[in-house]
Amino acid sequence: SSDTLKTGAKIEAYADAAWSDTENGTRLEFYTKDADNSFSKVLTLDSDKRATFAGDVYTGEYIIATDTTTSSTTQGGSLNLTCDDGAAMGDDHRLGVVTFRGAEDGSSTLRTAAKIESFADAAWSGTENGGRLVFSTNDADNSVSTVLTLDSDKLATFAGAVTVTGALTGTL
């Protein structure tokens, strides 16, 4: 009947470990119902202050990262893209990417305009953590290509011509 109560979402609380006088960490798990009337976990908040989302995170127009400590040369908002599968990074493995996308039509067909990627510049170890940044742009019909690479040897490699509008100084 129309007055029957239905459960559309739920929140469950769990102990992270056996509780004692020194350990009482918990986690919260948030669930919603799918179209097939089954629950799916969508968010976990744990005692290590981590939020783990089961899918994409939609924030509206932008993401804000605010640091409220006194400003200095070491403070400020921070965005960390982390790759950690429990093993050392391999040579040429990607650590993260920031992609700039937009719709090319009224059907929300998204295309990449540009991206910035970070790669391991060697196999990583306790003494080797070389990295490089790769900047790519789109100059055709969904054709993204590398335009600039900054590597761990402090080299800048441009894929095309370089235009300088001011004076060049230093050793060429």
Side-chain angles (χ1 to χ4, degrees), residues 57-85:
V57 178
Y58 295 97
T59 62
E61 296 178 22
Y62 49 85
I63 296 172
I64 299 173
T66 304
D67 183 349
T68 59
T69 58
T70 303
S71 64
S72 72
T73 59
T74 60
Q75 297 300 319
S78 176
L79 173 64
N80 290 303
L81 304 179
T82 304
C83 181
D84 182 7
D85 62 0

Side-chain angles (χ1 to χ4, degrees), residues 1-17:
S1 75
S2 63
D3 59 358
T4 302
L5 295 177
K6 303 280 184 189
T7 303
K10 65 181 179 178
I11 302 170
E12 297 179 354
Y14 296 94
D16 282 342

Side-chain angles (χ1 to χ4, degrees), residues 136-155:
S136 301
T137 59
N138 190 341
D139 188 33
D141 184 19
N142 203 25
S143 177
V144 178
S145 59
T146 299
V147 295
L148 170 63
T149 301
L150 304 174
D151 69 23
S152 60
D153 294 323
K154 300 180 181 154
L155 297 175

